[in-house]
Amino acid sequence: MKGERQQDGLWGNEERSLKYTIGDRAAGVELSQSSSVASAAAEFIITGGQYWEATGQMKRTYVNHAAAEPAFLVLREGREDGPTPRAESGFPAGPCLVRSEEWLRTPELATLMESWLASEDERQAERVLQRIYYRLRAEAAALLESPEGDWAVVTLLFTPELAAQPARLAALQDAQLEALFTELTESLRRGGDSRLDLVAPYPASAAEFADSREFIEEVAEQTLGHAYAATCRIGALIAPDVQHATAGEIARIADFLVLDGAAGEPAPEDTAAEGFAQAAGDILAAVRRVKPAAILLAAGAPAAVALADLYLLGLNGIFCSAAQRTEALLRAACLIWIARQDGVDSGASSRQ
Protein backbone atom coordinates (compact mmCIF):
# COMPACT_ATOMS: atom_id res chain seq x y z
CA MET A 1 0.00 0.00 0.00
CA LYS A 2 1.22 3.47 -0.82
CA GLY A 3 0.65 4.55 2.75
CA GLU A 4 3.52 2.33 3.87
CA ARG A 5 6.10 3.97 1.61
CA GLN A 6 8.78 6.42 2.75
CA GLN A 7 9.18 5.29 6.35
CA ASP A 8 12.42 7.20 6.89
CA GLY A 9 11.14 10.72 6.26
CA LEU A 10 8.16 12.85 5.49
CA TRP A 11 7.29 14.14 2.07
CA GLY A 12 10.68 13.46 0.54
CA ASN A 13 10.98 13.88 -3.19
CA GLU A 14 13.93 12.04 -4.63
CA GLU A 15 13.88 14.27 -7.72
CA ARG A 16 14.61 17.36 -5.60
CA SER A 17 18.22 16.99 -4.53
CA LEU A 18 19.69 18.49 -1.37
CA LYS A 19 23.31 18.53 -0.28
CA TYR A 20 24.52 20.04 2.95
CA THR A 21 27.73 20.48 4.85
CA ILE A 22 27.82 20.43 8.62
CA GLY A 23 29.21 23.46 10.40
CA ASP A 24 28.80 24.90 13.86
CA ARG A 25 26.79 28.10 14.06
CA ALA A 26 26.51 30.34 17.10
CA ALA A 27 23.03 31.68 17.80
CA GLY A 28 24.43 35.16 18.36
CA VAL A 29 25.99 35.21 14.90
CA GLU A 30 22.69 34.16 13.35
CA LEU A 31 20.79 36.88 15.14
CA SER A 32 23.26 39.56 14.08
CA GLN A 33 23.35 38.57 10.42
CA SER A 34 19.62 38.03 9.84
CA SER A 35 17.15 40.69 8.84
CA SER A 36 14.95 40.05 11.85
CA VAL A 37 14.90 38.07 15.07
CA ALA A 38 12.02 35.97 13.75
CA SER A 39 13.83 35.04 10.55
CA ALA A 40 16.95 34.18 12.55
CA ALA A 41 14.97 31.85 14.76
CA ALA A 42 13.35 30.27 11.72
CA GLU A 43 16.75 29.81 10.07
CA PHE A 44 18.21 28.27 13.23
CA ILE A 45 15.32 25.79 13.54
CA ILE A 46 15.04 24.90 9.85
CA THR A 47 18.75 24.23 9.44
CA GLY A 48 19.05 22.37 12.72
CA GLY A 49 22.17 24.40 13.50
CA GLN A 50 23.81 23.39 10.24
CA TYR A 51 24.74 25.11 7.01
CA TRP A 52 22.67 23.95 4.05
CA GLU A 53 23.96 24.03 0.51
CA ALA A 54 21.19 23.62 -2.03
CA THR A 55 21.91 22.43 -5.54
CA GLY A 56 19.18 22.54 -8.13
CA GLN A 57 15.72 22.15 -6.68
CA MET A 58 15.52 21.62 -2.95
CA LYS A 59 14.36 18.33 -1.56
CA ARG A 60 11.48 19.22 0.72
CA THR A 61 11.44 17.01 3.75
CA TYR A 62 10.72 17.57 7.40
CA VAL A 63 13.09 15.02 8.81
CA ASN A 64 16.82 15.14 8.14
CA HIS A 65 17.94 11.72 9.35
CA ALA A 66 21.60 12.55 8.67
CA ALA A 67 21.48 15.17 11.43
CA ALA A 68 22.70 14.29 14.90
CA GLU A 69 19.35 15.23 16.39
CA PRO A 70 15.86 15.71 14.90
CA ALA A 71 14.65 19.25 14.35
CA PHE A 72 11.56 20.70 15.97
CA LEU A 73 9.72 22.57 13.25
CA VAL A 74 7.62 25.71 13.65
CA LEU A 75 5.50 25.87 10.51
CA ARG A 76 2.87 28.18 9.15
CA GLU A 77 -0.87 27.74 9.48
CA GLY A 78 -3.13 29.82 7.28
CA ARG A 79 -2.47 32.48 4.69
CA GLU A 80 -0.24 35.39 5.74
CA ASP A 81 -0.18 38.96 4.49
CA GLY A 82 3.47 39.56 5.36
CA PRO A 83 6.64 37.97 3.93
CA THR A 84 7.47 34.40 4.80
CA PRO A 85 10.73 33.33 6.48
CA ARG A 86 11.98 32.01 3.15
CA ALA A 87 11.58 35.44 1.60
CA GLU A 88 13.38 37.07 4.53
CA SER A 89 16.33 34.73 4.99
CA GLY A 90 16.62 32.73 1.79
CA PHE A 91 15.87 29.47 3.65
CA PRO A 92 12.81 27.34 2.94
CA ALA A 93 9.83 28.25 5.09
CA GLY A 94 8.50 24.70 5.09
CA PRO A 95 4.92 23.62 4.42
CA CYS A 96 1.90 25.73 5.29
CA LEU A 97 -1.27 24.14 6.68
CA VAL A 98 -4.34 25.45 4.85
CA ARG A 99 -7.74 24.69 6.37
CA SER A 100 -9.92 24.61 3.28
CA GLU A 101 -13.14 25.07 5.24
CA GLU A 102 -12.11 28.72 5.50
CA TRP A 103 -12.74 28.96 1.75
CA LEU A 104 -16.38 28.12 2.37
CA ARG A 105 -16.70 31.22 4.56
CA THR A 106 -16.13 33.56 1.63
CA PRO A 107 -19.44 35.28 0.71
CA GLU A 108 -19.86 33.73 -2.74
CA LEU A 109 -18.99 30.18 -1.69
CA ALA A 110 -21.09 30.45 1.46
CA THR A 111 -24.12 31.44 -0.67
CA LEU A 112 -23.48 28.65 -3.15
CA MET A 113 -23.07 26.09 -0.38
CA GLU A 114 -26.33 27.14 1.20
CA SER A 115 -28.10 26.84 -2.15
CA TRP A 116 -26.51 23.45 -2.86
CA LEU A 117 -27.42 21.96 0.51
CA ALA A 118 -31.00 23.22 0.21
CA SER A 119 -31.42 21.96 -3.36
CA GLU A 120 -33.71 18.96 -3.73
CA ASP A 121 -33.65 18.83 -7.52
CA GLU A 122 -30.74 16.72 -8.77
CA ARG A 123 -30.07 18.77 -11.91
CA GLN A 124 -30.13 22.02 -10.01
CA ALA A 125 -27.79 20.56 -7.39
CA GLU A 126 -25.35 19.53 -10.14
CA ARG A 127 -25.39 23.02 -11.64
CA VAL A 128 -24.71 24.62 -8.26
CA LEU A 129 -21.92 22.12 -7.54
CA GLN A 130 -20.33 23.04 -10.87
CA ARG A 131 -20.31 26.69 -9.80
CA ILE A 132 -18.78 25.66 -6.48
CA TYR A 133 -16.08 23.81 -8.41
CA TYR A 134 -15.10 26.93 -10.35
CA ARG A 135 -14.99 29.01 -7.18
CA LEU A 136 -12.77 26.33 -5.59
CA ARG A 137 -10.50 26.54 -8.63
CA ALA A 138 -10.20 30.27 -8.08
CA GLU A 139 -9.27 29.69 -4.43
CA ALA A 140 -6.74 27.01 -5.44
CA ALA A 141 -5.19 29.30 -8.05
CA ALA A 142 -4.85 32.11 -5.52
CA LEU A 143 -3.21 29.72 -3.05
CA LEU A 144 -0.68 28.38 -5.55
CA GLU A 145 0.25 31.90 -6.65
CA SER A 146 0.83 33.00 -3.04
CA PRO A 147 3.99 32.35 -0.95
CA GLU A 148 2.09 29.61 0.90
CA GLY A 149 1.60 27.82 -2.42
CA ASP A 150 5.29 26.92 -2.55
CA TRP A 151 4.40 23.95 -0.32
CA ALA A 152 0.80 23.75 0.84
CA VAL A 153 -0.76 21.09 3.05
CA VAL A 154 -4.49 21.35 2.40
CA THR A 155 -7.27 19.71 4.41
CA LEU A 156 -10.11 18.04 2.59
CA LEU A 157 -13.36 19.97 2.92
CA PHE A 158 -15.43 18.89 5.88
CA THR A 159 -18.46 20.49 7.51
CA PRO A 160 -20.72 19.28 10.33
CA GLU A 161 -23.73 19.65 8.02
CA LEU A 162 -22.22 17.19 5.54
CA ALA A 163 -21.03 14.69 8.12
CA ALA A 164 -24.46 13.03 8.03
CA GLN A 165 -24.60 13.20 4.19
CA PRO A 166 -21.66 11.08 3.02
CA ALA A 167 -22.68 11.14 -0.65
CA ARG A 168 -22.72 14.94 -0.78
CA LEU A 169 -19.52 15.18 1.24
CA ALA A 170 -17.79 12.89 -1.25
CA ALA A 171 -19.10 14.98 -4.16
CA LEU A 172 -17.81 18.18 -2.59
CA GLN A 173 -14.40 16.68 -1.83
CA ASP A 174 -14.22 15.31 -5.38
CA ALA A 175 -14.84 18.83 -6.73
CA GLN A 176 -12.21 20.24 -4.37
CA LEU A 177 -9.56 17.70 -5.35
CA GLU A 178 -10.20 18.17 -9.06
CA ALA A 179 -9.99 21.95 -8.59
CA LEU A 180 -6.72 21.71 -6.65
CA PHE A 181 -5.02 19.25 -8.97
CA THR A 182 -6.21 21.03 -12.13
CA GLU A 183 -4.76 24.32 -10.92
CA LEU A 184 -1.58 22.57 -9.82
CA THR A 185 -1.24 21.09 -13.32
CA GLU A 186 -1.64 24.56 -14.82
CA SER A 187 0.95 25.97 -12.42
CA LEU A 188 3.47 23.25 -13.29
CA ARG A 189 2.81 23.73 -17.00
CA ARG A 190 3.71 27.42 -16.60
CA GLY A 191 7.01 26.46 -14.96
CA GLY A 192 5.91 26.68 -11.33
CA ASP A 193 7.37 24.54 -8.57
CA SER A 194 4.47 24.28 -6.14
CA ARG A 195 3.99 21.28 -3.92
CA LEU A 196 0.61 20.09 -2.69
CA ASP A 197 -0.07 17.56 0.06
CA LEU A 198 -3.47 16.57 1.43
CA VAL A 199 -4.91 15.89 4.86
CA ALA A 200 -8.01 13.77 5.52
CA PRO A 201 -9.97 15.32 8.42
CA TYR A 202 -10.84 13.31 11.51
CA PRO A 203 -11.07 9.73 10.19
CA ALA A 204 -12.98 7.56 12.64
CA SER A 205 -10.94 4.46 11.82
CA ALA A 206 -8.00 3.22 9.80
CA ALA A 207 -10.43 1.81 7.25
CA GLU A 208 -12.05 5.22 6.80
CA PHE A 209 -8.66 6.86 6.32
CA ALA A 210 -7.67 4.14 3.83
CA ASP A 211 -10.79 4.94 1.80
CA SER A 212 -9.96 8.66 1.87
CA ARG A 213 -6.39 7.95 0.81
CA GLU A 214 -7.46 5.77 -2.07
CA PHE A 215 -9.94 8.45 -3.17
CA ILE A 216 -7.26 11.18 -3.14
CA GLU A 217 -4.75 9.00 -5.00
CA GLU A 218 -7.31 8.10 -7.66
CA VAL A 219 -8.19 11.75 -8.39
CA ALA A 220 -4.51 12.73 -8.30
CA GLU A 221 -3.50 10.09 -10.83
CA GLN A 222 -6.40 10.97 -13.13
CA THR A 223 -5.53 14.66 -13.03
CA LEU A 224 -1.76 14.85 -12.55
CA GLY A 225 -0.57 11.54 -13.91
CA HIS A 226 1.19 8.83 -11.94
CA ALA A 227 4.65 10.42 -11.77
CA TYR A 228 3.61 13.57 -9.93
CA ALA A 229 0.71 11.98 -8.05
CA ALA A 230 3.20 9.61 -6.41
CA THR A 231 4.98 12.58 -4.79
CA CYS A 232 1.80 13.80 -3.07
CA ARG A 233 1.89 12.94 0.63
CA ILE A 234 -1.36 12.18 2.40
CA GLY A 235 -1.85 12.63 6.12
CA ALA A 236 -4.62 12.56 8.68
CA LEU A 237 -5.96 15.31 10.91
CA ILE A 238 -6.86 13.78 14.27
CA ALA A 239 -8.59 15.19 17.33
CA PRO A 240 -7.03 15.05 20.82
CA ASP A 241 -9.80 12.71 21.98
CA VAL A 242 -9.11 10.12 19.28
CA GLN A 243 -8.82 6.56 20.52
CA HIS A 244 -5.14 5.76 20.96
CA ALA A 245 -5.41 2.43 19.19
CA THR A 246 -7.17 4.13 16.29
CA ALA A 247 -4.41 6.74 16.01
CA GLY A 248 -1.81 3.98 15.90
CA GLU A 249 -3.62 2.09 13.16
CA ILE A 250 -4.07 5.26 11.09
CA ALA A 251 -0.37 6.03 11.51
CA ARG A 252 0.50 2.73 9.85
CA ILE A 253 -0.84 3.91 6.49
CA ALA A 254 -0.57 7.71 6.81
CA ASP A 255 2.48 9.65 5.67
CA PHE A 256 2.05 11.96 8.67
CA LEU A 257 -0.41 12.89 11.40
CA VAL A 258 -1.54 16.33 12.53
CA LEU A 259 -3.01 16.55 16.03
CA ASP A 260 -5.57 19.34 15.85
CA GLY A 261 -5.88 21.57 18.89
CA ALA A 262 -8.71 23.45 17.17
CA ALA A 263 -10.97 20.39 17.34
CA GLY A 264 -13.57 20.21 20.10
CA GLU A 265 -15.05 22.80 22.41
CA PRO A 266 -13.10 26.02 23.16
CA ALA A 267 -11.46 26.18 26.61
CA PRO A 268 -9.35 28.72 28.56
CA GLU A 269 -5.88 29.02 27.04
CA ASP A 270 -3.87 27.51 29.91
CA THR A 271 -6.35 24.69 30.51
CA ALA A 272 -6.55 23.88 26.81
CA ALA A 273 -2.76 23.81 26.46
CA GLU A 274 -2.28 21.55 29.48
CA GLY A 275 -4.93 19.08 28.34
CA PHE A 276 -3.61 19.21 24.77
CA ALA A 277 -0.06 18.40 25.86
CA GLN A 278 -1.24 15.45 27.93
CA ALA A 279 -3.31 14.11 25.04
CA ALA A 280 -0.37 14.62 22.67
CA GLY A 281 1.92 12.59 24.92
CA ASP A 282 -0.52 9.68 25.10
CA ILE A 283 -1.17 9.70 21.36
CA LEU A 284 2.52 9.99 20.51
CA ALA A 285 3.33 6.99 22.70
CA ALA A 286 0.60 4.92 21.05
CA VAL A 287 1.64 5.94 17.54
CA ARG A 288 5.36 5.38 18.02
CA ARG A 289 4.71 1.91 19.48
CA VAL A 290 3.15 0.97 16.17
CA LYS A 291 5.38 3.02 13.87
CA PRO A 292 8.58 4.30 15.51
CA ALA A 293 9.37 6.63 12.59
CA ALA A 294 5.88 8.16 12.53
CA ILE A 295 5.67 11.92 12.02
CA LEU A 296 3.36 13.68 14.46
CA LEU A 297 2.82 17.42 14.23
CA ALA A 298 0.40 19.60 16.19
CA ALA A 299 -1.81 22.48 15.04
CA GLY A 300 -4.18 25.04 16.49
CA ALA A 301 -3.74 27.69 19.17
CA PRO A 302 -3.12 25.19 22.04
CA ALA A 303 -0.16 23.76 20.13
CA ALA A 304 1.71 27.07 20.19
CA VAL A 305 0.95 27.63 23.88
CA ALA A 306 2.09 24.10 24.78
CA LEU A 307 5.19 24.28 22.55
CA ALA A 308 7.73 23.57 25.32
CA ASP A 309 5.85 20.46 26.48
CA LEU A 310 5.43 19.21 22.91
CA TYR A 311 9.15 19.70 22.26
CA LEU A 312 10.09 17.71 25.37
CA LEU A 313 7.62 14.97 24.47
CA GLY A 314 9.33 14.49 21.11
CA LEU A 315 6.77 15.73 18.59
CA ASN A 316 8.19 16.76 15.24
CA GLY A 317 6.83 20.30 15.34
CA ILE A 318 3.78 22.53 15.21
CA PHE A 319 1.75 24.56 12.75
CA CYS A 320 0.82 27.98 14.12
CA SER A 321 -0.84 31.19 12.96
CA ALA A 322 0.98 34.37 12.00
CA ALA A 323 0.02 35.96 15.33
CA GLN A 324 1.76 33.17 17.27
CA ARG A 325 4.63 32.42 14.92
CA THR A 326 7.31 34.88 16.06
CA GLU A 327 6.99 33.93 19.73
CA ALA A 328 6.87 30.24 18.85
CA LEU A 329 9.99 30.50 16.69
CA LEU A 330 11.93 32.21 19.47
CA ARG A 331 10.80 29.73 22.13
CA ALA A 332 11.67 26.77 19.92
CA ALA A 333 15.07 28.23 19.04
CA CYS A 334 15.84 28.75 22.73
CA LEU A 335 14.81 25.20 23.62
CA ILE A 336 16.93 23.74 20.83
CA TRP A 337 19.93 25.90 21.75
CA ILE A 338 19.66 24.94 25.45
CA ALA A 339 19.44 21.25 24.52
CA ARG A 340 22.56 21.55 22.37
CA GLN A 341 24.49 23.35 25.10
CA ASP A 342 23.50 20.64 27.57
CA GLY A 343 24.79 18.08 25.09
CA VAL A 344 28.08 19.95 24.65
CA ASP A 345 28.52 20.28 28.42
CA SER A 346 27.78 16.58 28.94
CA GLY A 347 30.27 15.62 26.25
CA ALA A 348 32.96 17.84 27.74
CA SER A 349 32.41 16.35 31.21
CA SER A 350 32.69 12.80 29.89
CA ARG A 351 36.04 13.60 28.28
CA GLN A 352 37.56 14.97 31.49
Side-chain angles (χ1 to χ4, degrees):
M1 183 175 289
K2 292 183 180 179
E4 295 176 347
R5 66 194 174 193
Q6 185 109 9
Q7 301 297 310
D8 294 333
L10 176 59
W11 303 332
N13 184 345
E14 290 74 12
E15 296 178 357
R16 305 183 182 209
S17 62
L18 173 66
K19 294 181 180 179
Y20 60 87
T21 57
I22 298 177
D24 294 328
R25 308 180 67 185
V29 174
E30 291 182 272
L31 293 174
S32 65
Q33 293 181 345
S34 298
S35 60
S36 71
V37 174
S39 65
E43 181 180 326
F44 185 73
I45 293 169
I46 291 169
T47 61
Q50 302 169 28
Y51 285 112
W52 294 73
E53 178 186 347
T55 59
Q57 291 180 311
M58 182 163 291
K59 178 180 178 181
R60 302 175 193 174
T61 177
Y62 271 161
V63 180
N64 175 23
H65 289 278
E69 59 188 73
F72 184 88
L73 301 169
V74 178
L75 305 167
R76 298 163 293 159
E77 178 177 339
R79 300 280 296 275
E80 298 181 17
D81 296 328
T84 64
R86 181 174 184 175
E88 292 177 346
S89 66
F91 284 82
C96 176
L97 178 64
V98 178
R99 297 179 185 267
S100 60
E101 62 267 22
E102 294 178 1
W103 297 349
L104 301 182
R105 300 191 184 107
T106 60
E108 187 169 351
L109 268 173
T111 301
L112 288 172
M113 283 293 297
E114 184 178 354
S115 174
W116 182 57
L117 291 172
S119 178
E120 296 182 358
D121 180 78
E122 185 174 344
R123 285 190 175 183
Q124 181 183 359
E126 288 180 359
R127 287 195 295 269
V128 177
L129 183 59
Q130 186 72 5
R131 293 176 62 190
I132 291 173
Y133 163 74
Y134 284 113
R135 285 307 308 162
L136 291 174
R137 277 194 64 172
E139 293 290 343
L143 170 63
L144 295 175
E145 291 170 3
S146 71
E148 291 77 19
D150 181 65
W151 185 358
V153 182
V154 182
T155 63
L156 285 184
L157 286 169
F158 179 86
T159 67
E161 296 85 355
L162 288 171
Q165 303 180 58
R168 286 212 167 185
L169 179 60
L172 181 63
Q173 291 177 345
D174 187 26
Q176 177 198 13
L177 289 172
E178 186 175 347
L180 283 167
F181 291 139
T182 298
E183 288 301 322
L184 179 60
T185 302
E186 287 297 308
S187 175
L188 296 173
R189 184 180 60 81
R190 294 192 298 267
D193 188 33
S194 294
R195 174 154 186 174
L196 183 66
D197 295 325
L198 280 301
V199 182
Y202 315 119
S205 65
E208 184 176 314
F209 174 75
D211 289 342
S212 295
R213 181 177 189 117
E214 183 178 358
F215 178 46
I216 294 169
E217 290 173 340
E218 181 179 351
V219 179
E221 292 197 9
Q222 290 173 351
T223 312
L224 298 171
H226 177 74
Y228 196 92
T231 70
C232 177
R233 297 294 177 251
I234 303 170
L237 192 69
I238 58 175
D241 61 356
V242 67
Q243 294 291 323
H244 300 162
T246 299
E249 290 304 309
I250 292 172
R252 287 183 188 275
I253 55 176
D255 293 321
F256 59 99
L257 298 178
V258 180
L259 182 61
D260 188 14
E265 295 295 327
E269 185 176 273
D270 292 341
T271 303
E274 182 179 354
F276 183 75
Q278 182 175 351
D282 294 340
I283 292 170
L284 180 66
V287 166
R288 294 272 170 84
R289 278 197 298 270
V290 174
K291 186 177 177 181
I295 303 300
L296 179 61
L297 301 145
V305 178
L307 184 149
D309 290 328
L310 301 180
Y311 172 80
L312 294 173
L313 286 169
L315 267 72
N316 299 96
I318 66 169
F319 291 100
C320 64
S321 66
Q324 297 174 308
R325 182 170 169 78
T326 298
E327 180 181 353
L329 283 167
L330 292 172
R331 291 173 64 195
C334 288
L335 288 166
I336 292 171
W337 187 83
I338 291 170
R340 288 183 190 144
Q341 294 307 303
D342 289 344
V344 170
D345 293 341
S346 298
S349 299
S350 65
R351 290 192 296 270
Q352 292 177 354

